């Protein structure tokens, strides 16, 4: 049922593909100087229904290999995108004890503030639904990570194997997400909901059936940006 969930959120409608990865809208913004000299972020374009392979069929996209500064060749990408980005497909539409959610976030070090925001997000979601779902009261247990895969997996393992949670929500960083995806495969009865980890391979390659991501990934965030920079701004070279 979770795979068929459709969320009408503040960024538009979000639904999941066959790998349980979000399909959603991407918003391209530009920093613009106003007449008084101040800078604002101005929305310049909305790219609707961006999937994880950016409109390219899954297998040809996977055949390109992992993306880096040298791969793939820009000519190859241009050829693959010749058909444009398709619109998202439509997604199909008290007997138990408490539902226990285990939250994993970075609560120490440089990213602690972001981790605290993640936990507050879980708290807000629970409060929005009145602290229960389908008649089951929701309980929450939190564990801290430090942005490294090993620590993240150990935190999740503790929540699952010692605390007996039903659902895992997290993590923050990309490497953590890939590692937790791997652990999820060993715990098929537990539901894993990605936090804000943006690593593409958490869902694109060798996905876990019980790992769900309702946010777009780092590659999807770039959809349409190159076309706008080249066609509208005339940028031919970009330093990254």
């Amino acid at each position: 049922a979770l795979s068929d969930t459709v969320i009408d959120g503040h960024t538009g409608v979000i639904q999941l593909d066959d790998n349980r990865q979000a399909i959603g809208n991407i918003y391209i913004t530009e920093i613009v100087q106003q007449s008084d000299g101040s800078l604002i972020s101005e929305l310049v374009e909305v790219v609707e229904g961006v999937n994880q392979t950016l409109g390219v069929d899954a297998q040809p996209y996977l055949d390109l290999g992992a993306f880096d500064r040298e791969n793939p060749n820009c000519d190859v990408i241009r050829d693959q995108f010749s058909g444009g980005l398709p619109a998202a497909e439509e997604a199909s539409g008290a007997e138990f004890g408490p539902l226990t959610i285990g939250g994993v976030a970075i609560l120490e070090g440089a990213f602690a503030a972001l981790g605290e925001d993640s936990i507050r997000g879980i708290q807000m979601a629970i409060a929005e639904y009145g602290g229960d779902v389908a008649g089951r009261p929701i309980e929450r247990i939190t564990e801290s990570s430090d942005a490294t895969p090993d620590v993240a997996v150990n935190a999740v393992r503790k929540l699952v194997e010692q605390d007996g949670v039903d659902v895992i929500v997290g993590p923050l960083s990309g490497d953590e997400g890939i590692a937790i995806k791997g652990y999820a495969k060993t715990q098929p009865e537990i539901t894993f909901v990605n936090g804000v980890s943006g690593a593409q391979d958490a869902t694109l390659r060798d996905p876990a059936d019980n790992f769900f991501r309702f946010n777009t990934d780092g590659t999807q965030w770039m959809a349409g940006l190159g076309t706008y920079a080249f066609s509208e701004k005339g940028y031919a070279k970009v330093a990254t």
Side-chain angles (χ1 to χ4, degrees):
L2 194 59
S3 298
D4 296 329
T5 300
V6 178
I7 299 174
D8 190 359
H10 66 280
T11 60
V13 175
I14 296 175
Q15 52 195 354
L16 300 185
D17 64 15
D18 292 340
N19 286 348
R20 295 154 298 282
Q21 165 63 39
I23 301 171
N25 298 337
I26 300 299
Y27 297 82
I28 300 175
T29 60
E30 182 176 353
I31 302 299
V32 177
Q33 187 173 33
Q34 301 189 98
S35 58
D36 63 0
S38 62
L39 301 177
I40 63 169
S41 180
E42 183 176 276
L43 178 66
V44 296
E45 187 174 343
V46 179
V47 185
E48 297 184 350
V50 178
N51 67 7
Q52 194 171 33
T53 58
L54 306 179
V56 180
D57 289 342
Q59 194 54 57
Y61 186 94
L62 290 170
D63 290 343
L64 293 172
F67 286 10
D68 57 31
R69 293 179 184 271
E70 304 297 330
N71 181 67
N73 182 281
C74 291
D75 292 335
V76 174
I77 289 295
R78 185 180 61 246
D79 292 342
Q80 292 283 14
F81 279 127
S82 59
L85 290 170
E89 295 180 0
E90 291 292 329
S92 51
E95 296 179 4
F96 303 96
L99 178 73
T100 306
I101 296 175
V104 179
I106 301 170
L107 301 176
E108 55 191 80
F111 298 109
L114 298 176
E116 291 166 359
D117 281 345
S118 298
I119 297 303
R120 280 192 285 268
I122 297 174
Q123 292 171 323
M124 289 175 62
I126 293 173
E128 183 177 350
Y129 283 87
D132 69 77
V133 58
R136 300 177 64 183
I138 301 174
E139 298 180 353
R140 177 178 58 86
I141 304 174
T142 301
E143 285 292 326
S144 177
S145 179
D146 66 353
T148 62
D150 288 346
V151 172
V153 170
N154 286 338
V156 171
R157 182 177 287 114
K158 187 262 184 185
L159 289 167
V160 172
E161 299 177 20
Q162 296 183 31
D163 298 322
V165 302
D166 303 291
V167 178
I168 291 290
V169 178
L172 176 67
S173 78
D175 287 344
E176 291 176 302
I178 294 173
I180 289 175
K181 180 272 299 272
Y183 176 74
K185 292 187 172 187
T186 71
Q187 302 293 330
E189 301 303 315
I190 306 299
T191 298
F192 292 75
V193 178
N194 183 70
V196 293
S197 169
Q200 188 181 53
D201 281 353
T203 53
L204 178 62
R205 293 175 175 84
D206 194 24
D209 291 341
N210 54 334
F211 187 97
F212 300 82
R213 176 157 58 189
F214 288 92
N215 61 291
T216 49
D217 66 33
T219 301
Q220 289 172 281
W221 300 340
M222 300 299 105
L225 180 59
T227 300
Y228 177 80
F230 181 79
S231 301
E232 301 296 330
K233 305 300 292 184
Y235 300 155
K237 294 183 179 180
V238 177
T240 59

